[in-house]
């Protein structure tokens, strides 16, 4: 039998040891209490992931500002009232030996849709999905948001999170600054790559000042928009290089978002996969970025389902970790299943049925539920 020796070997991100190379990619589970407070259901979801053998769990989108939330059931940490619940969640994960947890800090930016808050963005570029044109942020407001990201990170640290991931992908606020399609600014936050990365660098520097240089900071990074006037991989690589040089401890390359889903008709970052050749769909991005990165760890995300393939990628040092979202919604126990010798691919069929449950929540695997119902029907009919 093929060994999964590398997949189940430890590796560090910054100074934090991860027990294996399996990361749960950030996944919004639409499962908090109203308005963003940790629920017992959310704690149970994370406990199940931790029990299932994942080495590093990245939390779902956690809002740094009330105006940057996408749903009343999305976690927030923009003030101290969220701390007790978040602390309980982290403690529940840490009960499982060696499992680490990162908090993903985010703001909806141009893709915001909120009854009370109009969306904001670096530039007023209309967003077709909501039909709204965001309000352009002033540079004072940008500085204010930078501070909110830093304050949210400090609260995450106080709650016991092992690291922080900035969500700079999928058309949300931080990626709006990266993309030349959504950032038309002429001040210090727009124009060349260094300026479009300034918000990320300022948050990074502020967090390091606040939390010390040893607390790991990682980033989910937009590396391609997949739309005609959007960010191209050549520039995405330059962002990754710059952010690695300033000291991000790990980079999880991603891409797409609301515009890609409309304009390219492809559901990036969560592609519908019909056959195995379509799996691992950010591999070419990671290969390209790898050439320019030597300090930051690389996390390969997107359509990872086959452990034999994951092992090869890790063994060949193309990536340092693999991350999964949808496969772990179907099978939170997937890492243990692989570790115990069942090396068949994830049962997730990448249909995006789970994505359709996001609006009303809680998120669940539609395919798994259908299969369970079918099995129940069959067993009932046998009893008759
Ligand atoms: C239900 C659902 C919720 C998601 N929520 C987030 C999120 O909060 N933050 C994020 O960065 N990505 C989010 N994603 C994207 C995933 O992290 C991942 O990048 C994408 O699904 C591709 O990985 P996969 O093929 O392993 O599912 C979400 C995806 C799904 C299906």
């Amino acid at each position: 039998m093929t060994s999964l020796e590398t997949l189940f070997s430890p590796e560090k991100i910054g100074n934090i040891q991860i027990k294996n190379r399996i990361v749960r990619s950030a996944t919004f589970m639409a499962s908090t209490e109203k308005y963003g407070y940790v629920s017992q259901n959310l704690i149970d979801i994370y406990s199940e992931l931790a029990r299932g053998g994942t080495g590093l769990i990245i939390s779902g989108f956690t809002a740094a500002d009330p105006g940057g939330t996408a749903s009343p059931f999305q976690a927030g940490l923009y003030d101290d009232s969220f701390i007790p619940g978040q602390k309980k969640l982290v403690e529940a994960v840490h009960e499982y030996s060696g499992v680490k947890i990162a908090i993903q800090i985010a703001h909806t930016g141009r893709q915001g849709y909120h009854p009370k808050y109009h969306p904001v963005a670096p530039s007023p570029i209309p967003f077709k999905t909501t039909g709204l044109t965001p309000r352009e942020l002033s540079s004072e407001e940008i500085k204010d948001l930078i501070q909110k990201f830093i304050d949210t990170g400090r609260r995450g640290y106080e709650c016991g999170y092992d690291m922080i991931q900035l969500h700079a992908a999928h058309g949300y606020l931080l990626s709006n600054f990266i993309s030349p399609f959504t950032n038309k600014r002429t001040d210090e936050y727009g124009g060349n790559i260094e300026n479009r990365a300034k918000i990320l660098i300022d948050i990074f520097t502020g967090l390091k000042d606040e939390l010390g240089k040893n607390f790991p900071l990682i980033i989910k990074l937009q590396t391609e928009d997949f739309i005609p006037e959007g960010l191209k991989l050549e520039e995405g690589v330059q962002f990754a290089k710059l952010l690695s040089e300033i000291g991000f401890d790990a980079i999880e390359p991603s891409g797409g978002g609301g515009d890609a889903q409309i304009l390219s008709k492809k559901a990036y970052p969560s592609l519908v996969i019909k056959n195995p050749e379509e799996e691992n769909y950010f591999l070419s991005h990671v290969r390209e970025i790898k050439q320019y990165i030597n300090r930051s760890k690389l996390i390969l995300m997107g359509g990872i389902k086959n452990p034999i393939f994951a092992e090869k990628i890790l063994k060949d040092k193309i990536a340092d970790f693999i991350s999964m979202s949808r496969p772990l919604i179907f099978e939170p126990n997937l890492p243990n299943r692989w570790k115990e010798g069942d090396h068949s691919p994830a049962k997730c069929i990448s249909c995006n049925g789970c994505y359709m449950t996001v609006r009303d929540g809680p998120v669940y695997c539609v395919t798994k539920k259908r299969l369970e119902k079918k099995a129940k029907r069959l067993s009932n009919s046998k009893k008759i």
Side-chain angles (χ1 to χ4, degrees):
M1 199 205 307
T2 326
S3 138
L4 300 181
E5 196 184 349
T6 326
L7 187 62
F8 288 99
S9 65
E11 177 58 282
K12 281 185 168 179
I13 293 184
N15 63 350
I16 297 285
Q17 176 96 334
I18 316 290
K19 68 174 178 176
N20 59 37
R21 311 297 186 90
I22 302 175
V23 176
R24 196 291 288 257
S25 199
T27 306
F28 163 53
M29 297 300 287
S31 295
T32 64
E33 302 288 357
K34 249 184 177 176
Y35 292 90
Y37 291 92
V38 169
S39 64
Q40 188 54 48
N41 185 25
L42 195 65
I43 293 179
D44 294 344
I45 291 168
Y46 280 84
S47 298
E48 203 181 359
L49 282 167
R51 197 164 43 247
T54 295
L56 171 66
I57 300 168
I58 302 177
S59 82
F61 185 116
T62 304
D65 179 66
T69 58
S71 146
F73 304 108
Q74 191 158 49
L77 193 49
Y78 46 81
D79 68 45
D80 290 355
S81 67
F82 294 100
I83 290 179
Q86 288 283 346
K87 240 186 194 162
K88 254 175 100 177
L89 188 149
V90 173
E91 280 163 13
V93 166
H94 283 162
E95 271 181 28
Y96 294 88
S97 169
V99 182
K100 305 295 181 202
I101 179 161
I103 183 164
Q104 186 186 59
I105 307 180
H107 186 298
T108 45
R110 175 173 169 263
Q111 296 185 160
Y113 190 78
H114 195 290
K116 252 170 73 184
Y117 302 93
H118 193 79
V120 293
S123 304
I125 312 296
F127 181 48
K128 274 204 176 131
T129 308
T130 57
L132 298 175
T133 301
R135 188 173 56 73
E136 179 172 318
L137 288 159
S138 70
S139 66
E140 272 321 299
E141 285 176 312
I142 295 174
K143 289 187 176 72
D144 200 43
L145 281 171
I146 290 170
Q147 193 55 49
K148 286 183 174 175
F149 271 86
I150 296 166
D151 292 342
T152 303
R154 183 201 15 90
R155 287 188 200 99
Y157 173 85
E158 282 168 22
C159 292
Y161 279 98
D162 299 292
M163 61 187 78
I164 291 169
Q165 182 180 66
L166 296 185
H167 189 352
H170 311 167
Y172 294 117
L173 182 75
L174 297 180
S175 66
N176 296 157
F177 280 86
I178 294 173
S179 169
F181 176 59
T182 48
N183 185 349
K184 308 284 185 198
R185 299 181 74 90
T186 52
D187 64 1
E188 56 185 340
Y189 296 103
N192 62 28
I193 288 174
E194 285 73 19
N195 284 8
R196 275 148 55 208
K198 181 170 165 50
I199 188 167
L200 303 171
I201 297 169
D202 289 355
I203 296 171
F204 175 90
T205 311
L207 282 169
K208 286 282 177 188
D209 286 350
E210 186 95 7
L211 307 177
K213 69 174 180 16
N214 288 330
F215 189 74
L217 302 181
I218 69 177
I219 186 161
K220 191 161 187 176
L221 182 64
Q222 189 79 346
T223 55
E224 188 170 355
D225 284 343
F226 301 105
I227 56 169
E229 294 166 63
L231 182 79
K232 301 285 178 281
L233 179 59
E234 297 91 270
E235 270 200 339
V237 170
Q238 294 310 310
F239 276 98
K241 183 169 180 279
L242 177 67
L243 297 172
S244 176
E245 281 164 4
I246 72 151
F248 273 96
D249 295 286
I251 298 177
E252 186 183 18
S254 192
D259 291 313
Q261 285 160 21
I262 292 179
L263 294 171
S264 80
K265 303 259 185 280
K266 285 208 165 187
Y268 281 109
S270 309
L271 278 193
V272 173
I273 298 174
K274 297 243 165 64
N275 60 63
E277 289 79 65
E278 294 168 351
E279 291 175 13
N280 320 304
Y281 47 83
F282 276 106
L283 181 61
S284 54
H285 291 64
V286 165
R287 276 189 201 279
E288 194 60 37
I289 288 166
K290 177 77 186 168
Q291 305 170 47
Y292 300 94
I293 306 286
N294 38 42
R295 193 190 159 277
S296 316
K297 298 289 164 56
L298 269 177
I299 305 173
L300 173 65
M301 180 285 298
I304 315 285
K305 296 205 281 192
N306 187 328
I308 314 292
F309 177 83
E311 173 66 21
K312 184 162 167 36
I313 288 291
L314 297 167
K315 201 168 188 170
D316 293 350
K317 298 191 184 304
I318 295 164
D320 304 287
F321 292 86
I322 56 103
S323 69
M324 296 178 287
S325 165
R326 292 167 294 174
L328 292 167
I329 297 176
F330 193 136
E331 292 179 273
N333 193 47
L334 181 59
N336 282 347
R337 171 160 82 69
W338 285 345
K339 193 172 183 191
E340 285 157 12
D342 177 353
H343 295 175
S344 57
K347 291 179 189 160
C348 166
I349 58 164
S350 310
C351 64
N352 275 356
C354 53
Y355 210 72
M356 303 304 149
T357 68
V358 154
R359 222 191 59 189
D360 299 323
V363 168
Y364 66 91
C365 174
V366 171
T367 302
K368 182 179 180 180
K369 200 163 188 174
R370 189 167 37 77
L371 292 173
E372 282 170 354
K373 270 191 182 160
K374 196 173 162 190
K376 205 168 165 191
R377 265 202 315 273
L378 278 174
S379 97
N380 283 345
S381 66
K382 273 183 198 149
K383 279 184 207 150
I384 295 169

